[in-house]
Amino acid sequence: MHRNEVDQGRPVRDLEPEALFCVAVLRTWAAARRPKAAASLDWQEVCERGQLPEHTVQAFDA
């Protein structure tokens, strides 16, 4: 499937807070793993701000 054929859904700014949190965690987690990654907010700090339990954070990174 070509990228232009994929349903783009709705803009990020229209997402609910829970969905925005998921996007933030995924983006910061991925950014930390990019080669020569620029300084970025730590994904674990994002999880902490979202008050996720430690075992949830560890399971996500597993």
Side-chain angles (χ1 to χ4, degrees), residues 3-59:
R3 185 177 194 180
N4 293 335
E5 297 171 1
V6 176
D7 178 17
Q8 297 298 315
R10 54 188 170 157
V12 171
R13 68 179 176 274
D14 293 341
L15 295 175
E16 291 82 11
E18 297 84 358
L20 287 171
F21 174 75
C22 291
V23 169
V25 172
L26 288 169
R27 285 183 174 179
T28 54
W29 182 84
R33 283 149 180 77
R34 293 179 63 193
K36 298 183 182 179
S40 175
L41 186 62
D42 181 55
W43 69 272
Q44 291 173 316
E45 184 178 340
V46 175
C47 292
E48 184 178 307
R49 290 182 186 186
Q51 300 177 344
L52 291 182
E54 183 62 28
H55 68 275
T56 303
V57 176
Q58 296 306 317

